[in-house]
Amino acid sequence: MQMLPLVINGRIELSLTPGAHSRLIKEIIEQFGPRYAPEALVLYVGDTGAKMRHFDKRGFKALGLTFDSHGKFPDVILYDKKRNWLLLIESVTSHGPVDAKRHTELSLLFKDAEAGIVYVTAFPDRQTMARYLSEISWETEVWVADAPSHIIHFDGERFLGPYEETP
């Protein structure tokens, strides 16, 4: 079984378990990240073979975040230092978009974050997205890997940014 190579943060070499889910994670880091959060740091990469393939404990601590290793993290977490955003990205090939329940889980897990939170669901293609369209939560973003230069915004007061309720 051939592992899927991945380089993050310009220097850290990882190997992901082969499969569609890992291929999409690789595309998120190599295509989505540079396009929508240039120079963002990869703080976390989950993998089907190793839940915490990459976990930047020091990076999270610098943001004032500490976690129980049993927390249900999204598949990829990017930190855009320039805009002070944490992008929480779910890689969806067979289950798991950012639906209302997942949105609540993630908001509770990251409630102490000083950075703005951006919720993103990534799909390999529009056919996969179509199966989950009715489940996707408002105030989130959707990215489709086979059309990397497009992003779909699900309502909210701003495009690709943390959603902040107005009083």
Side-chain angles (χ1 to χ4, degrees):
M1 185 176 347
Q2 184 75 19
M3 297 296 279
L4 190 63
L6 176 65
V7 175
I8 62 168
N9 301 335
R11 67 188 189 292
I12 301 170
E13 295 181 19
L14 304 176
S15 294
L16 300 176
T17 305
H21 191 254
S22 293
R23 282 192 305 275
L24 183 54
I25 287 172
K26 184 176 172 75
E27 290 185 63
I28 290 165
I29 293 167
E30 295 177 348
Q31 298 291 322
F32 175 87
R35 184 171 270 119
Y36 296 103
E39 301 177 33
L41 290 174
V42 179
L43 295 182
Y44 175 82
V45 178
D47 184 29
T48 53
K51 179 182 173 188
M52 294 191 170
R53 181 64 68 191
H54 172 74
F55 184 87
D56 185 346
K57 186 185 274 188
R58 200 175 304 167
F60 283 119
K61 188 173 183 179
L63 293 169
L65 295 168
T66 55
F67 297 104
D68 174 338
S69 63
H70 301 304
K72 190 174 179 217
F73 283 77
D75 295 303
V76 176
I77 301 173
L78 303 178
Y79 176 60
D80 183 334
K81 184 176 182 177
K82 190 176 193 176
R83 294 182 283 196
N84 194 32
W85 291 356
L86 273 175
L87 291 95
L88 310 180
I89 308 167
E90 292 287 6
S91 168
V92 179
T93 54
S94 61
H95 69 283
V98 180
D99 59 10
K101 179 181 179 215
R102 186 70 174 126
H103 190 281
T104 299
E105 290 171 352
L106 290 171
S107 66
L108 289 172
L109 187 62
F110 288 88
K111 70 182 181 328
D112 296 329
E114 294 177 10
I117 304 295
V118 180
Y119 303 89
V120 180
T121 300
F123 296 100
D125 51 54
R126 287 171 39 162
Q127 293 78 14
T128 306
M129 179 187 73
R131 294 197 314 255
Y132 299 96
L133 200 54
S134 67
E135 300 174 33
I136 297 168
S137 179
W138 295 113
E139 287 81 44
T140 67
E141 313 296 334
V142 170
W143 180 74
V144 181
D146 71 356
S149 63
H150 294 80
I151 196 164
I152 302 164
H153 177 66
F154 276 71
D155 200 11
E157 57 190 38
R158 65 192 311 162
F159 179 74
L160 188 61
Y163 179 77
E164 299 167 9
E165 292 190 36
T166 53

